[in-house]
Amino acid sequence: MNRERLAELYKKYNLTTEDVYKHKHYLIITRSGVEKIMSIDKIKVNYEVIRCEPDFAVFKAYNDKLQTFGSAKHGDFKNGNTQSWYIAELAEKRAMARLVLKQVGAYELGMFSEDESEDFKRG
């Protein structure tokens, strides 16, 4: 059943091997894949800054159907979740990707965005 739903997702959004790859236990979708889904489904995303500091940010992404959050904390992987200093930008990307993937049911299929974890980056 998941294979059929994944095949439908790939076909509907014109996803290619450039957009999706396997990482350990998950399928990871790239930023370009998320953008394809947003464009085809005309998904609108609004943002609210919940917290924004030099080393920590939380953004809420929402639309008329869903809401979710994305966060970024600078530091090593014991005390944070990114080495980047683009904290606000990363929190925004994470929130947007989560909203899009939730809206199309991708999480149910074991698919996550590459922006959600630095561990998800293609090797």
Side-chain angles (χ1 to χ4, degrees):
M1 180 161 134
N2 274 359
R3 284 187 100 95
E4 289 175 14
R5 288 186 57 212
L6 275 171
E8 290 170 13
L9 199 78
Y10 273 70
K11 187 174 180 177
K12 179 177 181 180
Y13 299 113
N14 303 314
L15 299 175
T16 68
T17 56
E18 294 297 312
D19 302 314
V20 180
Y21 57 93
K22 183 86 169 132
H23 182 270
K24 296 182 185 174
H25 309 291
Y26 309 110
L27 281 176
I28 305 299
I29 187 165
T30 64
R31 178 63 178 237
S32 65
V34 171
E35 296 283 345
K36 283 181 180 182
I37 293 170
M38 282 183 71
S39 176
I40 289 169
D41 275 2
K42 296 179 178 29
I43 297 173
K44 301 293 183 204
V45 181
N46 302 299
Y47 300 96
E48 181 181 332
V49 177
I50 303 301
R51 192 164 162 193
C52 192
E53 299 172 0
D55 65 345
F56 179 68
V58 178
F59 278 48
K60 177 170 80 171
Y62 64 95
N63 60 24
D64 59 342
K65 296 180 181 169
L66 294 168
Q67 74 174 18
T68 191
F69 298 87
S71 66
K73 179 165 179 26
H74 180 79
D76 61 24
F77 294 107
K78 210 176 198 184
N79 300 309
N81 60 20
T82 184
Q83 300 267 322
S84 171
W85 281 107
Y86 295 101
I87 302 300
E89 295 85 345
L90 188 52
E92 177 191 28
K93 284 192 331 183
R94 287 175 175 175
M96 183 269 294
R98 286 178 49 79
L99 183 85
V100 170
L101 295 182
K102 284 176 86 168
Q103 192 158 326
V104 300
Y107 282 116
E108 298 168 22
L109 304 174
M111 186 179 284
F112 294 86
S113 162
E114 71 177 340
D115 292 326
E116 291 183 76
S117 171
E118 293 194 11
D119 186 45
F120 289 168
K121 297 296 181 198
R122 193 180 299 221

